[in-house]
Amino acid sequence: MEEKKHTFVICAYGKSQFLEECVKSLKKQTVQTNVICYTSTPSDYINDICLKYNIPVFTKQGGGIGKDWNNALSFVKTQYVTIAHQDDIYLPDFVEKTMDAFNKQSDSTIVITDYAEYRDGNVEAKTTNLKIKRLMLNVLNIFPKSKFWRNRVLSFGNAISCPSVSYNRLNLSDFKFKENFRTNLDWYAWYDISSHYNGSFRFINEVLMYHRIHGESETSATISENIRSKEDLEMFKLFWPDFIANMLMKFYEKSQKSNFK
């Protein structure tokens, strides 16, 4: 049997009604992959679902999303990894096409896939927000090795959906997520990887996963609590003078409203 080179690590917490659907999608991949689960909130609910699908469960003390993601990565043994969000759905050829991209460009640090939003059982792939993000990612893909070019694209907003990203750990030695961010730890991660690690960002212009939008998600919570806006402004200030950052925020905040439509 060919050695598995990729791992899905599910970050599970609480009692998500969507966890089992996510697990099923990971188990239906067209190529072999490891599937493990990490949680900082262990429970019979999570253990029973993972036992049903023969998925090992690991736990450590949490302390926020960034710490949980770093903890989750500490249990991964393979070179390639995707942090699977418990609410999302991965299409059967997600790993196959992601690994094809890594194999074609061995210098890649991350591979990003296109995605659709999944809301109330409906798949939405052509919202205005998604079209803008798709455009930004295609622009990024023109010069995927250029740190300057990548950071120019990132300076206009976070077009990269973190559940669609897979990481080449061999090219990301000592990488860790920023633990004091609650919502923009992913945007900061792309900035960190782009600025401080050599290698390519690769975008697969094909919908390979569904990102579930619902009122109980962490994204929706941080928008409601105004945490998102504060962290967005902090990110813009990494790239721009204050007056430009404040101006960009006026446009960027409009995109947050899509989480509640």
Side-chain angles (χ1 to χ4, degrees):
M1 183 180 295
E2 183 180 357
E3 182 182 1
K4 298 173 185 176
K5 298 180 179 180
H6 174 272
T7 298
F8 276 118
V9 54
I10 308 165
C11 280
Y13 61 92
K15 193 175 181 180
S16 170
Q17 61 181 310
F18 308 116
L19 175 59
E20 186 166 12
E21 190 175 2
C22 173
V23 168
K24 287 179 179 178
S25 74
L26 306 186
K27 286 292 189 175
K28 291 179 180 177
Q29 295 298 305
T30 57
V31 297
Q32 296 224 344
T33 181
N34 296 295
V35 182
I36 66 174
C37 179
Y38 162 80
T39 181
S40 59
T41 59
S43 66
D44 289 341
Y45 178 79
I46 293 172
N47 288 338
D48 288 347
I49 290 176
C50 289
L51 181 63
K52 180 178 178 180
Y53 294 94
N54 194 29
I55 295 173
V57 179
F58 300 92
T59 186
K60 278 186 181 180
Q61 183 175 355
I65 298 176
K67 187 172 181 63
D68 278 336
W69 288 3
N70 288 329
N71 285 346
L73 290 176
S74 73
F75 294 106
V76 175
K77 304 300 182 185
T78 56
Q79 179 175 346
Y80 304 99
V81 59
T82 306
I83 299 174
H85 294 201
Q86 65 179 358
D87 298 337
D88 295 339
I89 298 170
Y90 291 79
L91 301 188
D93 51 355
F94 177 93
V95 173
E96 181 178 358
K97 293 186 176 180
T98 294
M99 290 302 298
D100 282 346
F102 274 126
N103 291 332
K104 289 175 181 176
Q105 299 291 337
S106 61
D107 74 322
S108 296
T109 52
I110 61 174
V111 166
I112 309 145
T113 80
D114 198 359
Y115 73 101
E117 292 181 348
Y118 195 65
R119 195 190 312 263
D120 299 326
N122 297 312
V123 177
E124 301 174 355
K126 295 182 179 180
T127 65
T128 300
N129 196 29
L130 288 175
K131 289 178 181 178
I132 293 171
K133 289 184 176 183
R134 200 167 289 133
L135 174 62
M136 291 172 69
L137 288 170
N138 279 305
V139 170
L140 183 149
N141 226 25
I142 296 172
F143 301 111
K145 296 183 180 183
S146 169
K147 294 181 179 183
F148 174 83
W149 186 259
R150 292 190 308 237
N151 283 348
R152 295 288 61 77
V153 175
L154 290 170
S155 72
F156 287 97
N158 185 13
I160 302 172
S161 177
C162 50
S164 75
V165 175
S166 299
Y167 307 81
N168 182 348
R169 299 171 68 233
L170 184 65
N171 295 337
L172 290 171
S173 176
D174 300 321
F175 166 75
K176 288 186 179 297
F177 289 99
K178 189 177 178 72
E179 295 188 0
N180 63 337
F181 271 171
R182 181 172 165 187
T183 182
N184 273 339
L185 64 163
D186 57 340
W187 191 0
Y188 186 87
W190 321 142
Y191 162 77
D192 183 20
I193 294 171
S194 176
S195 301
H196 303 121
Y197 292 86
N198 294 321
S200 304
F201 282 23
R202 293 289 169 179
F203 172 55
I204 302 173
N205 191 11
E206 183 176 351
V207 172
L208 295 177
M209 58 91 57
Y210 299 154
H211 179 48
R212 192 184 302 270
I213 306 294
H214 61 97
E216 297 178 2
S217 71
E218 181 66 12
T219 299
S220 296
T222 55
I223 292 172
S224 296
E225 296 167 21
N226 205 35
I227 294 169
R228 172 80 172 268
S229 293
K230 293 176 182 177
E231 292 189 5
D232 285 347
L233 183 58
E234 188 173 345
M235 285 302 303
F236 279 126
K237 287 182 176 181
L238 288 175
F239 302 102
W240 301 100
D242 286 1
F243 77 96
I244 296 179
N246 287 321
M247 183 173 61
L248 286 169
M249 273 300 301
K250 293 179 181 178
F251 295 98
Y252 202 64
E253 284 179 331
K254 293 179 181 179
S255 70
Q256 297 179 4
K257 296 178 181 178
S258 66
N259 239 56
F260 299 97
K261 291 180 180 179

